[in-house]
Amino acid sequence: MIPGKYRSVSGRAANNVNCGLHLVIQTSSLPEKSKVEFKLNKETPSFSGRLLQHDLERNYSSRQGDGRVISPSPRNKSSCISSTTNVTELCGLEMKTTMSSLSAFGDSSIQTPSKSRIRQGCHSAGPNVSGDHINLASSSMPSFPILQRSSEEKILYSDRLTLERQKLTVCPIIDGEEHLRLLNFQHNFITRIQNISNLQRLIFLDLYDNQIEEISGLSTLRSLRVLLLGKNRIKKISNLENLKSLDVLDLHGNQITKIENVSHLCDLRVLNLARNLLSHVDNLNGLDSLTELNLRHNQITFVRDVDNLPCLQRLFLSFNNISTFESVCCLADSSSLSDITFDGNPIAQESWYKHTILQNMMQLRQLDMKRVTEEERRMASIVAKKEEEKKRESHKQSLLKEKKRLTINNVARKWDLQQHRIPNIAPNQDRKVSDSPQDPSQLHGSTVSAFPEETGSLDSGLTSALQGLSVTDTHLVEVDGDTLSLYGSGALESLDRNWSVQTAGMVTTVSFTFIEFDEIVQVLPKLKIKFPNSLHLKFKETNLVMLQQFNALAQLRHVDQLTIDPQGNPVVNFTLWKYYVLFRLSHFSMQKINGTEVTQNDMIMAERLFGILAHVASSELPQYRLISILGDARKKQFRYLLETKGKKPGLVNEENSDSKRLVGENTNRATLNYTTRDFYNERLEEIKEKKKFCKMYMEDLVKEATEINMKNEALQKLWPQMFIELVRDAVIEIRNKSSYMKLCLQQITDQK
Amino acid sequence: MLSPERLALPDYEYLAQRHVLTYMEDAVCQLLENKEDISQYGIARFFTEYFNSVCQGTHILFREFSFIQATPHNRASFLRAFWRCFRTVGKNGDLLTMREYHCLLQLLCPDFPLELTQKAARIVLMDDAMDCLMSFSDFLFAFQIQFYYSEFLESVAAIYQDLLAGKNPNTVIVPTSSSGQHRQRPALGEASTLEGVEASLFYQCLENLCDRHKYSCPPPALVKEVLSNVQRLTFYGFLVALSKHHGINQALGALPDKGDLMHDPAMDEELERLLAQVPGLVNSATANPEAGCLPSRTPPRVGSPWRPLHHARKVDAESDGSTEETDESET
């Protein structure tokens, strides 16, 4: 023995070994086999080269380190045998004969070195077969060589035969070697497993690096415990039915696309399927003893059935195509799993990767070859909690969003009904929804048509939770950042609410949707007081049909931007509407209308078009009309103030002066104001009443006047005649002077 | 006050017929409405102002429709006010839709009925394609006829229908508001092989109507002039002819001649003054004070291709009365 040499090798081993095959043969069940021994007495010159080749796959992952590997140097000194152990590990086979159970799995070889009988390895130990020792002669069968060993060889290595690098293209016929336990065909060109069915005591069969395309010819090898078929061309796992004792199955580096036909291997403890073409993992039932499963370097996207492996401890999924935790969620249900790798998968790039895994797999002791610390576990649970909260929050958000959407939908439907846009179908639909609120599909169906892009994400539970809302809510108020959105006329009442100073101050955009403009006009004074900073007004579906309706906006404090959506606002179709807005609201010196910057030319144009109207309105209106019209405007402003006077006496004064200033700013267009339809009709009624009264009054007056006139005329007609008659009577009376005198005197005396 | 008719009528009827009562009633009504304000500066002053504004025709601004249409003077004043206020729109070359003109009317009279605007548009557009664009002058003159003579036109429509139906119109004329009847294109489905009615017969009926009509009618001599040019004509042909007739326009007296429609130097001057006041635009406004320097707008869009065609059709209808529809209306 050359301990030094092995030490150096074992040092390598510590680096290289990590995984691939980890074989423990329980000698307890096979007492006679435990006598098998081998010596590492033949060193082949090509040792290291072969090692590299053979362990190509393992070298890949050597960086990962492996906690399970015995830390070599101190222990190697203590025991030659342990070194041997490590050497055997080199070739991927760590054969440990442990009398004890698997409990101290990783360290067993060290703790009980004396018990372990490690037998051959494949390459370094055992006879180096060469032409000298082995006679490969052509037999009677044309194509198969027949192998015969010299008797001393047979005695020396009675239970093992190594035929590596013999450029074999077929399995030779092996005669008289019925007690062979170990057979090695590494690095040949064998395409088919043949001629070994007589070796029924075979325990170990190594066909690494051949050209085998199908697993076959093994049905008689009932004792076989280790089958190494790495680096072949196998496409399918098959014909393993009789290998019930199989302990280690190495199929790495083949072309297998599917895990199948393994469910009977209830003793299998190590299965290596690395570097195959697996796209997913399932069909793992029945592998009741499997402790290690290597699936590196496949194209696996999801893993199933792992929770059916009661003994699985190590699972290697590195370098696959797993991108979500959901696709491997069965791992969380495995209670035995303690070691797992995901490196080289998309999932490992995710920020949530580590804590999600740790949170869901509390039993894990190692993740990606690193020990999981308590700290990490704690972190994971904290992060997971946060995640959960976030999820709940987002769920709530989406719930709210959905509620909003449904409400808006509902408001829109109401609006359409109100506008008589949908003739007969809509009321029907409406009624159906309200009649059968427990029928989600109905509601869902109706919403799909309007918002097809959103409904996909909605789960049915959400819909059912929202149904009641969608039926009852007729309006929606929403403050989003600096935007106050009002849907449905009921939303206008929200302006009466007590808004916090902060919110009110922040709101600079107010949008109205599905509200009759005339209703908006009535709350404009409130808007002005409650949201003094609102600069941008948006109108959509508000029934703006006339230019004069814009007059109503003049009473606001300031408007910077105006957006009138053409939808439901026919006024936007007019050529002149923009100019009229600019003209009428010129005191705001607006920046944008419908998103377009207002230019100087626009301003001039507006003035050119409507300047005369303002001039005529202000200069030609008789004074009493001017006063009454301006008075109306002022009165309107006061009306609201009177209502709220009790609450804010200070504000009234301010408003008062404000309105005066405002009126002063553009007297010549203040006469152009807008009274809502209802209010105007009210006024017309009032005027009608007054007119009726005036008519009667005037009628009486005029009749009286004409009567007087008629009497006067009649009198005028009669008067000359009357006068003459009067004179005539007087003359006749005084014609007889003396008698008249007498009469007069008599009258005087009578009076006394 | 000393006109000879006065003697023919009792005072009250005379006042009513001359609409003096209307104005007196309205004055009192206005007084009632604004009594607080008016009492501050004197009732005598109020009446002075009121009747002055009636004379100037500014009393109808922003008043309710029932008042605006109450007297011929009010109607003429309204037409004039409309022209003066929105002449600039026409000058700018914009072609507008019926609805937009209606909006302009509503700026002056908030409850102006859509029906009247529609009827006026129907005169311009010959009863089809109601959402087409119209030029300001076309609309204005059509609107003038429709608005000023609206009751008369109602009666004319009834007469026209009766003539088409072959009835003797003199017995059945009831000048009620039979709106809607005349909306059907008369030529379609009627027994007559020619479109419209015979002009001379039509004129006789109209003359008759004018004699008896209590509302304002166009001067019969001018109606005769319009009708004497053609043999047959349709109802809309008649209305178009009326609206284009400058004599009728003159008789009405509210609007200038078509050629001078865009001409109003006093107002232009005023406009320049206003433009100079546009905030922040003093320089540019004084730099190009000429009205001709209007920023060029895209003139006739949809309108231009079919407009001349349309006029040609109207002329056809007027000139020979026979139409392209002759062949199809054989029964």
Side-chain angles (χ1 to χ4, degrees), chain A residues 546 574-576 579-580 600 605 608-609 611-612 615 620 623-625 627-628 695 698-699 706, chain B residues 11-12 24-25 34 37 41 49-50 58 61 84 88 92 100 103 106-107 270 275 281 294 297:
Chain A
M546 294 180 287
F574 292 164
T575 325
L576 299 173
Y579 296 109
Y580 188 75
Q600 283 201 345
M605 195 55 168
R608 266 193 204 290
L609 287 174
I612 288 182
H615 175 72
E620 300 192 356
Q623 202 187 345
Y624 69 94
R625 290 274 300 148
I627 289 172
S628 83
K695 199 172 164 125
M698 283 310 296
E699 214 167 283
T706 48
Chain B
D11 295 325
Y12 186 80
M24 281 162 72
E25 275 165 27
N34 310 299
D37 294 323
Y41 69 91
E49 260 187 26
Y50 181 84
T58 56
L61 289 170
R84 290 178 66 199
T88 44
N92 200 28
E100 200 155 7
C103 259
Q106 281 190 319
L107 284 175
E270 196 57 49
L275 280 176
L281 300 176
L294 283 172
R297 308 272 319 238

Side-chain angles (χ1 to χ4, degrees), chain A residues 563-587:
Chain A
T563 306
I564 315 283
D565 197 299
Q567 207 180 329
N569 293 315
V571 76
V572 180
N573 299 328
F574 292 164
T575 325
L576 299 173
W577 79 274
K578 215 182 240 187
Y579 296 109
Y580 188 75
V581 169
L582 279 176
F583 153 75
R584 184 60 189 91
L585 306 179
S586 63
H587 57 293

Side-chain angles (χ1 to χ4, degrees), chain A residues 530-569:
Chain A
K530 298 270 179 168
F531 297 98
N533 293 338
S534 53
L535 293 172
H536 184 177
L537 295 182
K538 286 181 179 173
F539 296 93
K540 184 176 177 182
E541 296 279 11
T542 53
N543 238 353
L544 263 166
V545 291
M546 294 180 287
L547 295 179
Q548 53 170 341
Q549 285 176 312
F550 290 114
N551 294 349
L553 299 179
Q555 58 174 305
L556 288 169
R557 195 188 301 268
H558 191 66
V559 176
D560 235 11
Q561 277 194 54
L562 191 66
T563 306
I564 315 283
D565 197 299
Q567 207 180 329
N569 293 315

